[in-house]
Amino acid sequence: MASRGVNKVILVGNLGNDPEIRYMPSGGAVANITIATSESWRDKNTGEQREKTEWHRVALFGKVAEVAGEYLRKGSQVYIEGQLQTRKWQDQNGQERYTTEVVVQGFNGTMQMLGGRQGGGQGMGAQGGMGGGQQQGNWGQPQQPAAQQQNNFAPQQQSAPQQAPAQQPQQQYNEPPMDFDDDIPF
Amino acid sequence: MASRGVNKVILVGNLGNDPEIRYMPSGGAVANITIATSESWRDKNTGEQREKTEWHRVALFGKVAEVAGEYLRKGSQVYIEGQLQTRKWQDQNGQERYTTEVVVQGFNGTMQMLGGRQGGGQGMGAQGGMGGGQQQGNWGQPQQPAAQQQNNFAPQQQSAPQQAPAQQPQQQYNEPPMDFDDDIPF
Amino acid sequence: MASRGVNKVILVGNLGNDPEIRYMPSGGAVANITIATSESWRDKNTGEQREKTEWHRVALFGKVAEVAGEYLRKGSQVYIEGQLQTRKWQDQNGQERYTTEVVVQGFNGTMQMLGGRQGGGQGMGAQGGMGGGQQQGNWGQPQQPAAQQQNNFAPQQQSAPQQAPAQQPQQQYNEPPMDFDDDIPF
Amino acid sequence: MASRGVNKVILVGNLGNDPEIRYMPSGGAVANITIATSESWRDKNTGEQREKTEWHRVALFGKVAEVAGEYLRKGSQVYIEGQLQTRKWQDQNGQERYTTEVVVQGFNGTMQMLGGRQGGGQGMGAQGGMGGGQQQGNWGQPQQPAAQQQNNFAPQQQSAPQQAPAQQPQQQYNEPPMDFDDDIPF
DNA sequence: TTTT
DNA sequence: TTTT
């Protein structure tokens, strides 16, 4: 708690792929999704219609990650509220690189599933929170070993401040199988 | 928790008056403030410069209310994030009336003091939370009795859902998640 | 334009009814919709599940109003970005009353249709704008005459500042629209 | 314009440095600033107070860039509303790299100066706008040559969709001193 | 009055 | 690199 300043991102868009779920040693879930937003306009010069799609990396933590894993799919439309976070990592050549993501975590973010047709999911809303519980996964057993292998060079160290777990447990979130598609948009 | 939909208000403006603080029987603080935002534009027809000020009623609950009461003053500039809420009350003639306010409460809102000169307050940020603590008063002992008198017909009865009492203990969040994606494009 | 302060509202919810469209003398469209957002939580005392729905009055102006009238229906899910505005009016007894609405107008707001099933509309996005165009109606020919009749006591006087017409000029927006809803609940 | 989805960032923080202003061949201004937001919390494990600062790259275009260049300084507190945008560039080794920025441009963004002490600026608000106008410089004559040199490998080429130039030129930015003496409407 |  |  206690923040000096405001750091807020609001996105409404569709997933470019199924979520990728991982579990931290503690059992907390992490979901990575990419969301597309786009704008179209008429080019002042050529007069032709143009469109530009922006892809956003979103990382969800805790309960909201579990919900994402269970209900979101490629194409799902979501409302995301989170924070901008840039993390440093080393590429294969040992070079420092930076990646900026929208982090949805604890009480600083929310995810709302929209529509109800486009991804299997349906009208589920979920606020962040590490409420967790069922330690049904762990760091040593990633679900996408292949993908995992090639990038053990992106540290991550997610040490952001945490909000209260809010008591509110109950909710059952069975872990989703995974599924990669990647003709990833970036 | 669990919300279907999004209900969010963001204001940056200055207080029209000192905050009015009250305490609920439970000891929880409630602060009422009014915030001005304004826009100026040139009138298309007359060509003259015009300005319009909008006044917003804001009700803060819990810890954030205490902070407001202690640090905010008439003229203070603040950032407010809260929810729209319309409550019904009866006027002197027994007629039903409605008042819409921006409610800052629990983890659904925040208040950030801006600037640092205009009101005594200084760079204090505070997230909502009914965390309460110091039962230093109660509903019957308002700090602004005068103001009180004239509107005892506005019940208030804030029965909105309460967020987790903040306590916020245990939870382990400091884990290094991991290698997100691979030779990620950004 | 020039604004001191920030006045922003973001809503995601469903329409409680079909939009009510009206036209100002200038031909500019005005759409009124009501949007529901809700929260559910477990009562700390009784332990039972509770839910609370908040209803929001939203007034859209110009092109975005036309889009709303054409594509939105009762039940449609929308993303709304607008400004809080409180207007004064006189009730039947000549008493001053106030109504707070979310105004979507010009470049200060947007409306995005979500989902794609619940209202006929599909994936249409629209930013406010003075664009006008198809003068397909006028003040004297409201589409919801019934609703009209019963509430000629809510003046409205929509005199908010207008953003630069951005090319698309013509449109006259300073007209007092009119009688919105009836014995409106707020 | 027409956008499918929502892409919005809201920041309130302080500048880490004076703005860097450049001019495009067209004469349009571009200002780059970095904004700090921070959060502090008590570490669950060690019990000690911790703080984390997040730095945000912000690129402002057009009139709002000119205002930033004129009034913002290192330390200035600002409210920023813009869009997330990731652009690709080549580093010295010809490697593709990506940088994510918050873009404030046209009617999709705003900048509000806050406080009034920390940077010389005072209560200035400015909405984006490619309004151009005063061709007072060009891409080849940056105001911060030093800073320029070290990163000429970051192309920039801002080819995002441009909003309607809106005509709205000149704009007067002198502040109407505000004064809150309650003729408050409620 | 919506939605789940 | 800011701010408190």
Side-chain angles (χ1 to χ4, degrees), chain D residues 3 16 28 35 42 54 67 92 101 106 146 153 156 158 161 185:
Chain D
S3 59
I35 294 179
R42 187 164 300 283
E54 191 70 36
V67 173
Q92 310 93 318
E101 291 166 318
F153 50 85
Q156 186 92 358
Q158 220 21 84

Side-chain angles (χ1 to χ4, degrees), chain B residues 23 27 66 133-138 141:
Chain B
Y23 292 87
E66 295 170 9
Q134 52 273 57
Q135 309 294 87
Q136 51 190 301
N138 77 346
Q141 299 173 323

Side-chain angles (χ1 to χ4, degrees), chain D residues 155-173:
Chain D
Q156 186 92 358
Q157 191 54 4
Q158 220 21 84
S159 59
Q162 291 306 114
Q163 269 58 39
Q167 245 64 324
Q168 57 201 35
Q170 71 278 13
Q171 201 74 25
Q172 258 287 101
Y173 274 108

Side-chain angles (χ1 to χ4, degrees), chain B residues 75-151:
Chain B
S76 295
Q77 190 181 34
V78 285
Y79 168 92
I80 287 289
E81 192 177 322
Q83 296 185 279
L84 270 184
Q85 215 161 281
T86 298
R87 57 187 170 82
K88 185 196 287 190
W89 51 284
Q90 308 249 110
D91 68 11
Q92 311 93 317
N93 311 318
Q95 276 212 306
E96 283 190 349
R97 297 185 56 177
Y98 295 80
T99 292
T100 300
E101 291 165 315
V102 176
V103 172
V104 179
Q105 182 184 65
F107 296 103
N108 283 330
T110 347
M111 185 270 285
Q112 289 274 327
M113 298 175 62
L114 304 174
R117 217 61 14 127
Q118 317 95 322
Q122 166 89 271
M124 271 253 15
Q127 185 167 26
M130 285 303 278
Q134 52 273 57
Q135 309 294 87
Q136 51 190 301
N138 77 346
W139 193 262
Q141 299 173 323
Q143 321 222 124
Q144 261 80 3
Q148 284 299 90
Q149 300 318 81
Q150 28 193 120
N151 72 321

Side-chain angles (χ1 to χ4, degrees), chain B residues 6 54-56 67 69 75 77 84:
Chain B
V6 173
E54 191 70 36
W55 288 96
H56 309 273
V67 174
Q77 190 181 34
L84 270 184

